[in-house]
Amino acid sequence: MIGLPAPARAGIYTWTDIAQSAVPKAECGAGSLPETGLQGDVPAADRASGRSTEGYRCNISFVGGLQQQGGGILSPTYDHCSYTGTFFPGNLLDGAAPGVHVLDVSDPAHPVHTATLNEPAMLGGTWETLKVNTARKLLAATAVPITTGTAYFSIYDISDCAHPVLLNPGPGTDLTMPLPFLSHEGGFSPDGSTYWASSTSPGLLTAIDVSDPANPRVIWHGLQSLTAHGFGISPDGNTMYFSIQNGINILDISAIQRRDPYPVVPQIATYHWADGYFDQQSVPVTYDGRPYIFTGDEAGSGGVKLIDVADPADARKVATIKLEINMPANLGEHAQSATGNGIFSYDAHYCVADRPADPTALACSWIASGIRVFDVRDPGDIREIAYYNPPAQTGRQGQLVNSVHADTAVIGAPVWNYVPLARELVNGKLDPATIFGPRSGMMFGGDISSDWCLSPPMFHGDQIWTTCTDNGFMVLRLDNGVYTPPADQESTVGS
């Protein structure tokens, strides 16, 4: 079924406020190697001196990892395994094993590469589509060669997580049997019966029925916005929080979940905001049974917003998580240090709650600020408890062919920071002199002097398993008593 969203009197709301405070900084204990400047910053002086090649850590230690040729963009984990996503065309330059690398992390200090998935969807660049469904033990991705992809989709049984088994050799995998969709991002419904694919421009949303994984079939398309991104889905599979350029659309997807023969997807409400843009994904959680979402912007220093969605037609923003480097007053220093390190800088990307009900911690990949971990037990008193910004791989672009950061470092200008920068300049709240520094001439030919962390940081007891684009897969351990894993820990991503 192909169509537009159902006609509805959905409300459209705009939040114009800009958050002016950062969360309290983590208090670093023994064994830490703290940041030397603002919270979240990798100062220009550290990049020049080589200090950033040591990395920065606070209440987290490195256990083990596997760098290989870089970490692609998004790399999920399941059970004792991790799956390293691919960036096209760089991953094809891995002459030994192009494709998605399967890692056995039974020994977290010594991960082992056990298999390579090389179907068309895996070779074509998985971007932000490589996802796991734990309920059905499935792994899937679409091919996204250049920001938007189409046609190829492969799905695997990961009951033996170190040795995935392809389930759809026909539709979606066979070169002569493409599927009709556009994708940049993707993910499963909670029950694993539907794989949703979304594209950036236009903002097309597609539902793929994977009830029978051997025969995936497109059952619905909807054009949701001019531009779009990822999403989060409520635990019952009936509500989608769909990321658009400057906010979210809240959609009723219950007809897809029920498999109505002629499904209609009403738009419940749209929320736009001025504080950040390119909303990335949403993590549905509850506090005392009341539904909320954590939703982050990958550009514009918007940070991560906590939104009360108990009434989706009247959602309320209750908190914003930002670092000091995201503060409007610090955007000049932000531009100074980020220039020469690529188009992205110090922004949130993927977040993970440690359980869906009454979460105690939220871990977020914060691009050039590394992995940040927050105490979120009290929504009114969120604070940072730990961070890990891995050692910069300065000058190693040629070796990291599967790193989107290394492969695109020819563009050194942090262009996605320029919108809030311009806003503050126009409003007369920023001294133009603060923008310029020793790296200002590095608009082209970046030096990858800090990593980009994009993957969801997954909780595994007191460890976090994640992948950054330059350093590859890493196992990190939370130290100094800052985190006690709840008995019902369940990493929650939202899709």
Side-chain angles (χ1 to χ4, degrees), residues 135-162:
R136 296 185 64 198
K137 302 178 182 179
L138 297 174
L139 171 74
T142 72
V144 187
I146 303 176
T147 69
T148 297
T150 187
Y152 298 110
F153 167 79
S154 288
I155 186 165
Y156 304 83
D157 178 357
I158 52 172
S159 298
D160 176 358
C161 71

Side-chain angles (χ1 to χ4, degrees), residues 110-460:
H110 301 97
V112 177
H113 176 195
T114 58
T116 300
L117 309 180
N118 55 15
E119 282 68 37
M122 306 296 125
L123 293 175
T126 54
W127 214 271
E128 292 160 348
T129 71
L130 188 64
K131 297 290 177 65
V132 160
N133 178 261
T134 58
R136 296 185 64 198
K137 302 178 182 179
L138 297 174
L139 171 74
T142 72
V144 187
I146 303 176
T147 69
T148 297
T150 187
Y152 298 110
F153 167 79
S154 288
I155 186 165
Y156 304 83
D157 178 357
I158 52 172
S159 298
D160 176 358
C161 71
H163 301 93
V165 176
L166 178 68
L167 296 174
N168 66 318
T173 296
D174 188 315
L175 289 174
T176 67
M177 302 176 73
L179 295 176
F181 62 82
L182 294 177
S183 64
H184 171 89
E185 187 138 1
F188 287 96
S189 60
D191 65 3
S193 65
T194 308
Y195 182 92
W196 291 88
S198 58
S199 62
T200 48
S201 184
L204 184 70
L205 184 63
T206 301
I208 303 174
D209 185 340
V210 293
S211 300
D212 176 6
N215 294 287
R217 59 190 184 95
V218 172
I219 56 174
W220 182 83
H221 289 295
L223 186 62
Q224 295 298 318
S225 63
L226 178 64
T227 63
H229 217 163
F231 48 84
I233 300 175
S234 61
D236 61 8
N238 291 330
T239 305
M240 176 180 284
Y241 309 97
F242 186 54
S243 299
I244 56 178
Q245 180 166 336
N246 288 77
I248 57 171
N249 284 348
I250 302 183
L251 307 175
D252 178 352
I253 57 171
S254 58
I256 305 294
Q257 184 69 9
R258 291 190 304 266
R259 293 297 188 267
D260 288 359
Y262 300 98
V264 174
V265 176
Q267 180 176 318
I268 301 171
T270 294
Y271 297 89
H272 297 291
W273 47 75
D275 196 1
Y277 57 102
F278 297 161
D279 188 68
Q280 179 61 58
Q281 49 94 231
S282 294
V283 183
V285 298
T286 60
Y287 284 99
D288 295 326
R290 188 176 182 88
Y292 293 77
I293 58 170
F294 286 102
T295 190
D297 296 305
E298 76 167 2
S301 278
V304 176
K305 297 166 181 65
L306 177 62
I307 302 174
D308 180 336
V309 290
D311 179 359
D314 187 24
R316 302 300 174 99
K317 182 174 59 172
V318 298
T320 299
I321 303 172
K322 286 189 177 184
L323 308 180
E324 289 176 350
I325 195 62
N326 301 127
M327 291 296 94
N330 295 330
L331 289 174
E333 188 162 346
H334 182 142
Q336 271 202 43
S337 65
T339 299
N341 196 54
I343 61 173
F344 290 102
S345 50
Y346 309 111
D347 282 291
H349 198 249
Y350 254 74
C351 291
V352 179
D354 69 344
R355 62 182 180 186
D358 300 310
T360 71
L362 184 79
C364 298
S365 53
W366 213 277
I367 310 187
S369 298
I371 304 300
R372 319 299 294 203
V373 186
F374 306 95
D375 181 336
V376 295
R377 289 173 294 179
D378 180 354
D381 186 26
I382 296 173
R383 56 191 57 245
E384 188 175 55
I385 57 173
Y387 58 78
Y388 186 88
N389 201 345
Q393 302 298 297
T394 308
R396 298 192 61 210
Q397 291 94 316
Q399 301 168 49
L400 301 172
V401 294
N402 191 42
S403 164
V404 61
H405 184 205
D407 288 349
T408 61
V410 64
I411 303 173
V415 296
W416 302 135
N417 179 53
Y418 290 165
V419 170
L421 188 69
R423 179 193 67 221
E424 296 305 305
L425 287 170
V426 168
N427 291 336
K429 296 181 178 179
L430 194 67
D431 180 357
T434 64
I435 300 171
F436 302 102
R439 297 174 61 83
S440 297
M442 298 176 65
M443 294 295 180
F444 297 95
D447 58 3
I448 65 169
S449 53
S450 65
D451 204 341
W452 283 359
C453 294
L454 303 171
S455 287
M458 304 294 285
F459 290 93
H460 289 252

